[in-house]
Amino acid sequence: MHAQQLDLDAFGGVEAEPPRVARYAVNEAMIRNWVEAVDDRNPVYVDADAARATGREGIICPPAMISTWVMNGYRRWREVQALREAGQREDFAYSRLMSLLDEAGFTSVVATDVSQRYLRELRPGDRITCFFTIDSVSPLKQTALGPGHFVTLSKRYVDGDGVPVAEEDFRLLRFRPANKDG
């Protein structure tokens, strides 16, 4: 496992994949769906008059919604899973890392934590791009789920003018499930 750890260390600080550009501009319909799904009743997200009463130009996007604008969608997820099952990968550092972990038996995943820093409010019409960096890959850790490696991704979100709007640290655990029989 030590030799493999050396290989994993090389991923720290590397661009994970090409920038993700939002498929859709920030929009009122998606904002409304989000606030209804999480039962957020803050009127600045759905009522332009209420938002203007707070000094804003109009409605704003819930800050925690930032990552939803650059999600690839389920079709893309199925494509990536089909590549994994075929033993293939894309030529991105993140794909190479996931392949190495798969080959070593660390095939299960759980998100462990996320921290976000919001730099400005998003408004309908903003178009978001996200830049992903593999911040670090931990040495092998023994967890309650099984042995694994924590992967930390740093994400930088910018608007259509390249102005930063949010930053995020996202950590996941890729693990080999613990044997429940022993």
Side-chain angles (χ1 to χ4, degrees):
M1 196 56 67
H2 179 67
Q4 182 177 351
Q5 180 57 40
L6 294 175
D7 291 339
L8 298 179
D9 288 342
F11 287 95
V14 174
E15 179 184 71
E17 61 182 46
R20 285 193 197 175
V21 178
R23 295 186 294 168
Y24 310 103
V26 173
N27 63 78
E28 292 183 37
M30 293 287 285
I31 291 170
R32 185 171 295 278
N33 286 340
W34 171 277
V35 298
E36 287 179 6
V38 299
D39 198 28
D40 188 333
R41 297 175 187 269
N42 188 333
V44 300
Y45 302 143
V46 294
D47 183 333
D49 290 333
R52 280 191 288 276
T54 66
R56 295 173 170 92
E57 294 177 16
I59 71 164
I60 61 167
C61 176
M65 196 177 171
I66 187 70
S67 64
T68 63
W69 301 109
V70 296
M71 288 181 174
N72 287 323
Y74 191 58
R75 179 175 293 143
R76 173 74 175 125
W77 182 85
R78 288 191 313 255
E79 291 169 1
V80 170
Q81 296 311 305
L83 286 172
R84 267 182 85 192
E85 289 174 19
Q88 300 173 356
R89 62 173 163 72
E90 297 168 301
D91 193 23
F92 310 145
Y94 188 69
S95 296
R96 289 190 298 274
L97 172 59
M98 293 299 110
S99 290
L100 281 174
L101 292 171
D102 279 347
E103 291 165 10
F106 302 104
T107 56
S108 295
V109 64
V110 63
T112 62
D113 62 284
V114 64
S115 68
Q116 296 178 325
R117 293 163 298 288
Y118 309 114
L119 307 174
R120 84 154 171 85
E121 294 175 334
L122 297 182
R123 297 174 295 278
D126 284 334
R127 176 82 59 178
I128 304 304
T129 298
C130 184
F131 297 87
F132 291 74
T133 302
I134 301 169
D135 186 56
S136 63
V137 182
S138 77
L140 183 64
K141 303 286 186 181
Q142 184 58 48
T143 74
L145 296 172
H149 294 274
F150 290 91
V151 177
T152 303
L153 297 171
S154 294
K155 301 178 184 182
R156 184 172 55 90
Y157 298 88
V158 301
D159 64 17
D161 294 324
V163 176
V165 296
E167 298 169 341
E168 177 179 299
D169 294 318
F170 179 80
R171 185 171 299 113
L172 59 91
L173 172 65
R174 282 292 297 261
F175 65 98
R176 189 179 304 128
N179 182 349
K180 296 191 191 282
D181 296 331

